[in-house]
Amino acid sequence: MPVIVHIDMNCFFASCEVKKDPSLKGKKIIIGGTSSRSIVSAASYEAKKDGIYTTMPIYMAKEKCKDAIFLPVDYSYYEKVSSEIFTFLKNRFPILEIASIDEAYIDMSDIYLGKDPVKYFYDLQKEIYETLHIPCSIGVSYCKFLAKMGSDYKKPLGITIIKKKDIEKIIYPLPIDATYGIGKATSAKLKEINILTIKDLVTSNDVKVREILGSYYQTIISLCKGEVAERIHLQEYNVKSIGNSHTLDYNTDDYQVIKENLKYLCDEVTLRLKANSMLAYTITLTIKDKNFVSKSKSKQIIEPTDDNDKVFIEILKLLDKFESKVIRLVGVSVSKLIYKNQYYKQLSLFSKDEIAHDTTSEIIYKLNQIVGKNVFIKAKDAIKNDKRN
């Protein structure tokens, strides 16, 4: 049976701030923008106990948690800490899949865990904290879904091992909105037909459940029942797109509110790009209007990027192209991804020595190869095409 481990850094942004300034430990920390229209990017567990949640408007967080410490987002520092964490893990475990800036899956199927696996993971958790000063929760099972559910089961500093015999005891009683892969909107629809727990989901024969989940129905049922076992095969691991979406607290046409949420999503998506050492050529904005009708627009850029400001600028341009201004949900995604080292190798095609010997046609050919479509042509050909049209 495979042994898949999910390591999730607890309240990562807030934990990074505590790492930077240990005097913040145990205090209510809220991280976000500084303007009145800004939203919460992260919060410590102490602040969450007061009802603070990600994407809550900052002004509301200040009213709700008056004694909190408000800090600006420090993405460059969070990226640095993330890199330290993954370097630490990669040096110990060869089969590691980065899921985001603060979480990773490790295949430990071929690693001897000793006579007491719980102690093994306790020691690993302790070493991560003592070395990197970031707390984490660990989930262990025989597939990524259950390992992820395990790390979410106890936080902070939880260790949960889920075996086949534990499914009904640990997984079934969980609320439906705790199901990894089922979002808030879908959970709300399931609750409307009295699907309140995972057990309700897997035991229901209501045709409406199938209608709500669509093509994902059989997959999620099999995962929740513990019918899927898998190993991580790095050569097959190929991220095709990265995206995040957020349902707003209310329908709005307030440009500043929408803009703040989009900024948050762009930051999240680019952090995941950086965690995977990838760049993106295609940027996509998805919105759902007040009737939950979904529409998307995309932009392909010439030079791939993982820069949050560049992605944000393109997203705002796409936003201007939508007719519907009353929005309920926004989503940002990037696709046509390329690993950084692969892109830099491609750029070496254009060293000075090579360019000196290249014909114009060869240079255009190589540029089009990098972009993946014929967007570059000679000026004289463009003039000819223009005359034809």
Side-chain angles (χ1 to χ4, degrees):
M1 185 71 81
V3 178
I4 307 300
V5 180
H6 184 254
I7 296 184
D8 189 1
M9 313 316 291
N10 299 151
C11 285
F12 182 59
F13 288 5
S15 295
C16 285
E17 294 295 344
V18 173
K19 175 182 170 74
K20 188 196 304 181
D21 180 3
S23 69
L24 295 174
K25 186 175 181 179
K27 295 182 179 178
K28 299 175 184 178
I29 303 169
I30 298 175
I31 299 167
T34 54
S35 74
S36 59
R37 297 296 185 92
S38 296
I39 59 176
V40 174
S41 294
S44 64
Y45 285 113
E46 290 79 7
K48 288 180 178 180
K49 288 177 182 177
D50 281 359
I52 305 301
Y53 58 87
T54 300
T55 72
M56 173 184 275
I58 284 289
Y59 78 86
M60 192 182 296
K62 288 182 176 179
E63 293 173 359
K64 204 171 187 69
C65 196
K66 291 182 171 60
D67 55 341
I69 297 169
F70 288 81
L71 299 171
V73 184
D74 189 351
Y75 285 114
S76 60
Y77 180 68
Y78 307 153
E79 290 164 19
K80 175 178 175 292
V81 176
S82 174
S83 179
E84 291 173 357
I85 292 167
F86 292 135
T87 298
F88 173 91
L89 294 173
K90 285 176 182 176
N91 287 338
R92 286 157 177 76
F93 309 107
I95 308 179
L96 180 142
E97 178 185 309
I98 296 172
S100 71
I101 191 172
D102 62 348
E103 57 181 327
Y105 294 98
I106 303 171
D107 191 325
M108 295 192 187
S109 306
D110 301 321
I111 295 174
Y112 178 62
L113 303 178
K115 295 180 180 180
D116 186 352
V118 174
K119 184 179 185 306
Y120 177 93
F121 291 113
Y122 172 78
D123 290 342
L124 174 61
Q125 185 185 66
K126 183 180 177 183
E127 186 180 5
I128 291 172
Y129 185 73
E130 291 180 347
T131 305
L132 303 165
H133 308 293
I134 301 290
C136 71
S137 289
I138 298 176
V140 186
S141 195
Y142 49 88
C143 69
K144 290 195 289 186
F145 172 81
L146 290 175
K148 168 70 173 174
M149 294 292 285
S151 66
D152 285 341
Y153 190 67
K154 294 178 186 176
K155 286 185 176 181
L157 293 170
I159 296 174
T160 304
I161 298 176
I162 301 177
K163 300 177 182 179
K164 178 73 174 177
K165 65 181 179 65
D166 300 320
I167 300 294
E168 292 190 17
K169 176 184 175 183
I170 295 177
I171 299 299
Y172 279 19
L174 294 174
I176 192 63
D177 46 14
T179 314
Y180 178 56
I182 294 182
K184 285 197 297 184
T186 303
S187 294
K189 291 179 183 178
L190 290 169
K191 288 178 182 178
E192 287 175 3
I193 58 171
N194 212 34
I195 302 298
L196 306 179
T197 67
I198 293 179
K199 181 179 181 180
D200 294 337
L201 176 65
V202 300
T203 58
S204 174
N205 293 316
D206 192 336
V207 68
K208 292 180 181 178
V209 175
R210 289 178 179 271
E211 292 174 356
I212 292 169
L213 293 172
S215 60
Y216 190 49
Y217 172 79
Q218 198 54 60
T219 299
I220 194 63
I221 293 298
S222 295
L223 288 169
C224 289
K225 286 183 175 180
E227 296 174 344
V228 178
E230 63 185 341
R231 293 201 60 172
I232 297 172
H233 302 285
L234 294 182
Q235 65 272 23
E236 298 175 8
Y237 176 54
N238 183 22
V239 181
K240 294 183 179 179
S241 66
I242 291 174
N244 284 73
S245 63
H246 174 60
T247 301
L248 305 177
D249 291 335
Y250 49 86
N251 297 338
T252 184
D253 60 355
D254 188 321
Y255 181 77
Q256 290 302 319
V257 171
I258 296 168
K259 182 179 173 182
E260 279 293 332
N261 279 273
L262 287 174
K263 181 67 170 69
Y264 166 78
L265 292 174
C266 289
D267 291 339
E268 288 291 301
V269 167
T270 51
L271 282 172
R272 290 173 63 190
L273 272 174
K274 289 168 183 172
N276 284 283
S277 299
M278 303 186 89
L279 304 169
Y281 279 109
T282 302
I283 299 166
T284 301
L285 169 63
T286 299
I287 69 165
K288 286 186 180 178
D289 62 22
K290 59 185 178 181
N291 299 315
F292 266 80
V293 175
S294 180
K295 297 178 182 178
S296 297
K297 292 186 184 295
S298 299
K299 170 69 181 293
Q300 181 157 305
I301 55 179
I302 301 299
E303 184 179 343
T305 188
D306 63 359
D307 184 272
N308 53 342
D309 290 330
K310 289 181 180 178
V311 172
F312 183 50
I313 288 169
E314 296 300 335
I315 286 293
L316 291 182
K317 290 179 183 176
L318 291 171
L319 179 64
D320 290 338
K321 295 181 179 180
F322 283 98
E323 293 180 6
S324 176
K325 299 302 179 184
V326 181
I327 295 174
R328 181 61 173 170
L329 175 147
V330 286
V332 173
S333 63
V334 291
S335 55
K336 200 164 185 185
L337 308 181
I338 186 171
Y339 285 100
K340 284 183 180 180
N341 59 356
Q342 183 183 352
Y343 177 64
Y344 296 145
K345 285 177 183 176
Q346 290 179 340
L347 283 182
S348 70
L349 289 169
F350 304 101
S351 66
K352 291 182 180 179
D353 291 340
E354 288 173 321
I355 290 176
H357 295 92
D358 268 344
T359 65
T360 303
S361 297
E362 287 172 335
I363 293 173
I364 288 173
Y365 171 77
K366 289 174 180 176
L367 280 169
N368 284 329
Q369 286 290 99
I370 291 175
V371 174
K373 60 191 292 188
N374 294 323
V375 294
F376 295 97
I377 60 174
K378 292 180 181 178
K380 64 179 183 180
D381 292 333
I383 293 170
K384 286 179 183 177
N385 293 339
D386 189 49
K387 287 180 178 178
R388 289 194 193 110
N389 297 327

Short mmCIF file of all heavy atoms in Angstrom, two decimals, residues 280-284 297-304 314 318 321 335-336 367-368 370-376:
data_model
loop_
_atom_site.label_atom_id
_atom_site.label_comp_id
_atom_site.label_asym_id
_atom_site.label_seq_id
_atom_site.Cartn_x
_atom_site.Cartn_y
_atom_site.Cartn_z
N ALA A 280 4.14 31.54 -16.73
CA ALA A 280 2.90 31.34 -17.49
C ALA A 280 2.84 32.26 -18.70
O ALA A 280 3.23 33.42 -18.64
CB ALA A 280 1.70 31.61 -16.59
N TYR A 281 2.32 31.71 -19.81
CA TYR A 281 2.11 32.48 -21.02
C TYR A 281 0.68 33.01 -21.13
O TYR A 281 0.43 34.03 -21.75
CB TYR A 281 2.36 31.61 -22.26
CG TYR A 281 3.81 31.45 -22.65
CD1 TYR A 281 4.46 30.24 -22.49
CD2 TYR A 281 4.51 32.51 -23.22
CE1 TYR A 281 5.79 30.08 -22.87
CE2 TYR A 281 5.84 32.37 -23.60
CZ TYR A 281 6.47 31.15 -23.44
OH TYR A 281 7.78 31.00 -23.81
N THR A 282 -0.29 32.29 -20.54
CA THR A 282 -1.69 32.66 -20.69
C THR A 282 -2.31 33.03 -19.34
O THR A 282 -2.14 32.32 -18.36
CB THR A 282 -2.50 31.50 -21.32
OG1 THR A 282 -1.92 31.16 -22.59
CG2 THR A 282 -3.95 31.91 -21.52
N ILE A 283 -3.00 34.16 -19.33
CA ILE A 283 -3.65 34.67 -18.12
C ILE A 283 -5.15 34.74 -18.37
O ILE A 283 -5.59 35.27 -19.40
CB ILE A 283 -3.11 36.08 -17.77
CG1 ILE A 283 -1.59 36.00 -17.50
CG2 ILE A 283 -3.84 36.67 -16.57
CD1 ILE A 283 -0.91 37.35 -17.48
N THR A 284 -5.93 34.20 -17.44
CA THR A 284 -7.38 34.12 -17.64
C THR A 284 -8.13 34.70 -16.45
O THR A 284 -7.80 34.43 -15.29
CB THR A 284 -7.82 32.66 -17.85
OG1 THR A 284 -7.16 32.12 -19.00
CG2 THR A 284 -9.33 32.56 -18.05
N LYS A 297 -12.34 35.38 -19.96
CA LYS A 297 -11.55 36.01 -21.03
C LYS A 297 -10.08 35.77 -20.73
O LYS A 297 -9.67 35.77 -19.57
CB LYS A 297 -11.84 37.51 -21.11
CG LYS A 297 -13.26 37.83 -21.59
CD LYS A 297 -13.47 39.32 -21.79
CE LYS A 297 -14.90 39.63 -22.18
NZ LYS A 297 -15.26 39.06 -23.49
N SER A 298 -9.30 35.55 -21.79
CA SER A 298 -7.88 35.21 -21.62
C SER A 298 -6.99 36.15 -22.43
O SER A 298 -7.43 36.75 -23.41
CB SER A 298 -7.61 33.77 -22.05
OG SER A 298 -8.34 32.86 -21.27
N LYS A 299 -5.75 36.23 -22.01
CA LYS A 299 -4.73 37.02 -22.72
C LYS A 299 -3.45 36.20 -22.76
O LYS A 299 -3.00 35.71 -21.72
CB LYS A 299 -4.48 38.35 -22.00
CG LYS A 299 -3.29 39.15 -22.50
CD LYS A 299 -3.52 39.71 -23.89
CE LYS A 299 -2.29 40.49 -24.39
NZ LYS A 299 -2.04 41.73 -23.62
N GLN A 300 -2.88 36.05 -23.95
CA GLN A 300 -1.59 35.38 -24.07
C GLN A 300 -0.51 36.45 -24.17
O GLN A 300 -0.60 37.37 -24.98
CB GLN A 300 -1.54 34.48 -25.29
CG GLN A 300 -0.19 33.76 -25.41
CD GLN A 300 -0.29 32.50 -26.24
OE1 GLN A 300 -1.09 31.63 -25.96
NE2 GLN A 300 0.51 32.43 -27.29
N ILE A 301 0.51 36.33 -23.34
CA ILE A 301 1.58 37.32 -23.32
C ILE A 301 2.82 36.77 -24.02
O ILE A 301 3.02 35.56 -24.12
CB ILE A 301 1.92 37.75 -21.88
CG1 ILE A 301 2.26 36.54 -21.00
CG2 ILE A 301 0.75 38.51 -21.27
CD1 ILE A 301 2.63 36.89 -19.57
N ILE A 302 3.64 37.66 -24.53
CA ILE A 302 4.82 37.26 -25.30
C ILE A 302 5.88 36.61 -24.42
O ILE A 302 6.44 35.57 -24.74
CB ILE A 302 5.44 38.48 -26.02
CG1 ILE A 302 4.41 39.11 -26.95
CG2 ILE A 302 6.69 38.07 -26.78
CD1 ILE A 302 3.93 38.19 -28.03
N GLU A 303 6.13 37.23 -23.27
CA GLU A 303 7.16 36.73 -22.36
C GLU A 303 6.49 36.13 -21.12
O GLU A 303 5.76 36.83 -20.42
CB GLU A 303 8.09 37.87 -21.94
CG GLU A 303 9.25 37.42 -21.08
CD GLU A 303 10.17 38.57 -20.71
OE1 GLU A 303 10.10 39.63 -21.37
OE2 GLU A 303 10.96 38.41 -19.76
N PRO A 304 6.70 34.85 -20.83
CA PRO A 304 6.03 34.22 -19.69
C PRO A 304 6.46 34.87 -18.38
O PRO A 304 7.57 35.39 -18.27
CB PRO A 304 6.48 32.76 -19.76
CG PRO A 304 7.81 32.82 -20.43
CD PRO A 304 7.69 33.93 -21.44
N GLU A 314 -2.68 42.67 -16.37
CA GLU A 314 -3.40 42.01 -17.46
C GLU A 314 -4.83 41.63 -17.04
O GLU A 314 -5.76 41.72 -17.84
CB GLU A 314 -2.65 40.76 -17.92
CG GLU A 314 -1.27 41.02 -18.54
CD GLU A 314 -1.35 41.91 -19.77
OE1 GLU A 314 -2.40 41.93 -20.44
OE2 GLU A 314 -0.35 42.59 -20.07
N LEU A 318 -8.44 42.72 -18.71
CA LEU A 318 -9.49 41.76 -19.07
C LEU A 318 -10.81 42.14 -18.41
O LEU A 318 -11.88 41.99 -19.00
CB LEU A 318 -9.07 40.34 -18.66
CG LEU A 318 -7.91 39.72 -19.45
CD1 LEU A 318 -7.47 38.42 -18.80
CD2 LEU A 318 -8.30 39.48 -20.90
N LYS A 321 -13.10 44.43 -20.21
CA LYS A 321 -13.75 43.90 -21.41
C LYS A 321 -15.10 43.23 -21.11
O LYS A 321 -15.84 42.91 -22.03
CB LYS A 321 -12.83 42.89 -22.10
CG LYS A 321 -11.54 43.53 -22.64
CD LYS A 321 -10.67 42.49 -23.34
CE LYS A 321 -9.40 43.13 -23.89
NZ LYS A 321 -8.55 42.13 -24.58
N SER A 335 -2.16 29.54 -17.46
CA SER A 335 -1.96 28.27 -18.14
C SER A 335 -0.86 28.42 -19.17
O SER A 335 -0.20 29.45 -19.24
CB SER A 335 -3.26 27.79 -18.80
OG SER A 335 -3.77 28.78 -19.67
N LYS A 336 -0.70 27.38 -19.99
CA LYS A 336 0.42 27.29 -20.91
C LYS A 336 1.72 27.58 -20.13
O LYS A 336 2.43 28.55 -20.32
CB LYS A 336 0.28 28.27 -22.06
CG LYS A 336 1.16 27.87 -23.25
CD LYS A 336 0.76 28.57 -24.51
CE LYS A 336 1.60 28.00 -25.64
NZ LYS A 336 1.37 28.72 -26.89
N LEU A 367 11.31 32.16 -32.12
CA LEU A 367 10.38 32.90 -31.27
C LEU A 367 9.00 32.26 -31.28
O LEU A 367 8.36 32.10 -30.23
CB LEU A 367 10.28 34.35 -31.75
CG LEU A 367 11.42 35.30 -31.34
CD1 LEU A 367 11.32 36.59 -32.11
CD2 LEU A 367 11.40 35.56 -29.84
N ASN A 368 8.54 31.89 -32.45
CA ASN A 368 7.23 31.24 -32.54
C ASN A 368 7.20 29.90 -31.85
O ASN A 368 6.18 29.48 -31.30
CB ASN A 368 6.82 31.08 -34.01
CG ASN A 368 6.37 32.40 -34.62
OD1 ASN A 368 5.83 33.25 -33.94
ND2 ASN A 368 6.60 32.58 -35.92
N ILE A 370 8.87 29.21 -29.10
CA ILE A 370 8.78 29.50 -27.67
C ILE A 370 7.34 29.87 -27.29
O ILE A 370 6.78 29.38 -26.31
CB ILE A 370 9.73 30.65 -27.28
CG1 ILE A 370 11.19 30.17 -27.39
CG2 ILE A 370 9.45 31.15 -25.86
CD1 ILE A 370 12.21 31.27 -27.15
N VAL A 371 6.71 30.73 -28.12
CA VAL A 371 5.36 31.19 -27.81
C VAL A 371 4.33 30.09 -28.05
O VAL A 371 3.32 30.00 -27.37
CB VAL A 371 5.02 32.45 -28.64
CG1 VAL A 371 3.57 32.87 -28.45
CG2 VAL A 371 5.95 33.59 -28.25
N GLY A 372 4.61 29.23 -29.02
CA GLY A 372 3.70 28.12 -29.28
C GLY A 372 2.69 28.39 -30.37
O GLY A 372 1.81 27.59 -30.62
N LYS A 373 2.80 29.54 -31.03
CA LYS A 373 1.91 29.83 -32.17
C LYS A 373 2.59 30.87 -33.05
O LYS A 373 3.54 31.55 -32.63
CB LYS A 373 0.55 30.32 -31.68
CG LYS A 373 0.60 31.57 -30.86
CD LYS A 373 -0.73 31.86 -30.18
CE LYS A 373 -1.81 32.20 -31.16
NZ LYS A 373 -3.04 32.66 -30.47
N ASN A 374 2.11 31.02 -34.27
CA ASN A 374 2.77 31.91 -35.23
C ASN A 374 2.31 33.35 -35.04
O ASN A 374 1.44 33.85 -35.75
CB ASN A 374 2.48 31.44 -36.66
CG ASN A 374 3.11 30.09 -36.94
OD1 ASN A 374 4.21 29.81 -36.48
ND2 ASN A 374 2.42 29.27 -37.70
N VAL A 375 2.90 34.01 -34.06
CA VAL A 375 2.55 35.41 -33.81
C VAL A 375 3.59 36.37 -34.39
O VAL A 375 3.34 37.55 -34.55
CB VAL A 375 2.38 35.68 -32.30
CG1 VAL A 375 1.20 34.91 -31.76
CG2 VAL A 375 3.64 35.33 -31.53
N PHE A 376 4.80 35.86 -34.70
CA PHE A 376 5.86 36.68 -35.26
C PHE A 376 5.99 36.43 -36.77
O PHE A 376 6.05 35.27 -37.21
CB PHE A 376 7.21 36.39 -34.60
CG PHE A 376 7.25 36.76 -33.14
CD1 PHE A 376 7.03 35.80 -32.16
CD2 PHE A 376 7.49 38.07 -32.76
CE1 PHE A 376 7.06 36.14 -30.82
CE2 PHE A 376 7.52 38.41 -31.42
CZ PHE A 376 7.31 37.45 -30.45
#
